[in-house]
Amino acid sequence: MLVMALVAIFETVYVGMLGTTPLAAIALVFPLIMLMQMISAGAMGGGVSSAISRALGAGDLARAEALALHAVVIGAAAGLVFSALFVAFGAPILRVLGGSGAVLGEALVYTNIALAGAILTWLLNTFASVLRGTGNMRVPSLTLLAASGLQIMLGGGLGLGIGPIPRFGLAGVATGLVVAYALAALFLFWFLRSGRGRLRLRFDAALQREMFFDILKVGAVSSLGSFQVVLTVLILTRLVAGFGTEALAGYGIGARLEFLLIPIVFAVGVASVPMVGMAMGARDIERARRVAWTAAGVAAALLGAIGLVVTIAPDLWSGLFTSDRGVRGAANLYLRWAGPGFLFVGLGLSLYFASQGSGKVLAPVLAGTVRLLVIAVGGWWLMESDAPAWSLFALVGASMTAFGLCIAAAVYLTPWGIRATLTPIGLRSGRSSTKQAHTMTEPLAE
């Protein structure tokens, strides 16, 4: 996850070499790419890992393999929808985000390639999520690591033009992404079909509505959380812009650190999903909750330590990006107010992932809405009151705290009990009927 975050930094560097217009264009497209990655890997991917791990925890390999097929169908369908959406409405969407003129033209060059191939991103993340659901973290991680390295080399080479390769600009950068993801998806597809994993991807199972629901009851609800995160970023960026260029630039430097912290929580959280899911499938609720709170403690400690450092010494981060006193002062102000909230971001996001493993994700997603409301309502009130910039940064820190505490309360109060109505008679052979395993592990109504 750290390397995937660094890809964004490398991409920014070599796109910056292409000029200011391409750099502005890639910044315009970034929220759309981020949204697709968050939904396919974090939201729907969590739903896939959760369903498969719960089936394996119940000892039902046949159901886990059938769920893998349903996951691939969902991923392929979602990828085609994303592609059709951006091919048909890419220009209007980018105009709403502020694109115009040459910047809009360059942005469309990138999206027409990168987002037209959205199905590759969805399939890659779906295959990786299937493997994570079995407890296999190594193969998806190494595959994504290789894809990230290939994307950097191809994107930079084709974008800038190296040796006999002509300079293709943003079209080359986008092509690098598509080719890297296509090769990685093909490898994971081969791995799942080969039987080298804990399950084999088969195409002989009949599609069932109940299995789609088992994935989507977590994945679709989690997708709302991804939309909330992107909407919060857009609202906050618009609010900070009202305080001037220096405040906006300083906020951008501070917020960049927050974005780089997300992969840390994702790594801890995505590891907790199959652990919680398998414990739930085995009807060991105590272990599932212990895993969830342990992971939350780890994530909170890691992000809390980083937040403490930048609160006390913000120049350690802001000094890496600018020597302008005004911009640096704004960045330091943001870090001093937002830094203490990093601990609660780690707490909340980790518990959100653990809730995916339990299949009980609605309450944490709704609790996460609190941050959006605090930023939207509080930010509007501050703007109307002509409050200083530090007050908005303080609001950001308060929203992070509210986010973490509300999700923690939601997880603490939500029962994770399951109803056991059948004896697992098929577990001796490692397989039980799909219907039996589903009934055994059917979650209680929230």
Side-chain angles (χ1 to χ4, degrees), residues 42 89 97 119 205 251 272-273 333 422:
F89 304 105
L97 293 177
I119 187 172
Y251 161 73
S272 72
V273 171
L333 194 62
L422 290 179

Side-chain angles (χ1 to χ4, degrees), residues 92-258:
I93 292 173
L94 292 171
R95 286 194 187 96
V96 170
L97 293 177
S100 61
V103 172
L104 176 61
E106 289 283 349
L108 287 173
V109 169
Y110 186 91
T111 56
N112 285 340
I113 298 175
L115 293 178
I119 187 172
L120 297 172
T121 300
W122 272 90
L123 287 177
L124 173 59
N125 287 325
T126 299
F127 294 148
S129 297
V130 169
L131 283 170
R132 291 191 190 111
T134 69
N136 187 335
M137 299 291 162
R138 184 177 63 177
V139 171
S141 295
L142 291 177
T143 303
L144 291 173
L145 178 65
S148 298
L150 185 60
Q151 181 185 346
I152 291 172
M153 290 188 294
L154 287 178
L158 294 173
L160 296 175
I162 297 178
I165 302 175
R167 175 177 288 204
F168 290 102
L170 286 186
V173 176
T175 301
L177 182 150
V178 170
V179 172
Y181 277 31
L183 292 176
L186 282 173
F187 171 77
L188 290 184
F189 175 76
W190 168 81
F191 187 87
L192 285 168
R193 288 286 292 165
S194 69
R196 286 172 168 78
R198 190 171 178 179
L199 57 77
R200 182 193 295 270
L201 178 60
R202 303 175 183 274
F203 293 94
D204 53 357
L207 298 180
Q208 301 177 36
R209 180 183 302 176
E210 174 270 321
M211 290 196 182
F212 283 123
F213 176 77
D214 197 13
I215 296 172
L216 293 174
K217 72 180 182 183
V218 174
V221 174
S222 297
S223 297
L224 296 177
S226 299
F227 280 106
Q228 287 178 176
V229 171
V230 174
L231 185 57
T232 300
V233 171
L234 293 175
I235 292 175
L236 189 55
T237 301
R238 178 65 184 86
L239 290 172
V240 175
F243 289 95
T245 304
E246 287 186 347
L248 183 59
Y251 161 73
I253 291 173
R256 187 174 301 176
L257 175 60
E258 185 183 344

Side-chain angles (χ1 to χ4, degrees), residues 325-349:
R325 293 184 61 183
V327 174
R328 196 165 176 173
N332 290 349
L333 194 62
Y334 175 84
L335 291 172
R336 287 195 179 99
W337 283 106
F342 288 177
L343 181 151
F344 297 96
V345 171
L347 175 70
L349 282 179

Side-chain angles (χ1 to χ4, degrees), residues 55 58-60 63 208 210-211 281 283 419-427 429 431-442:
D60 195 342
R63 177 177 176 82
Q208 301 177 36
E210 174 270 321
M211 290 196 182
R283 295 178 287 174
R419 178 171 61 232
T421 58
L422 290 179
T423 302
I425 56 177
L427 299 186
S429 64
R431 293 175 182 258
S432 60
S433 74
T434 297
K435 184 175 180 180
Q436 284 177 333
H438 173 65
T439 308
M440 278 191 325
T441 61
E442 183 179 355

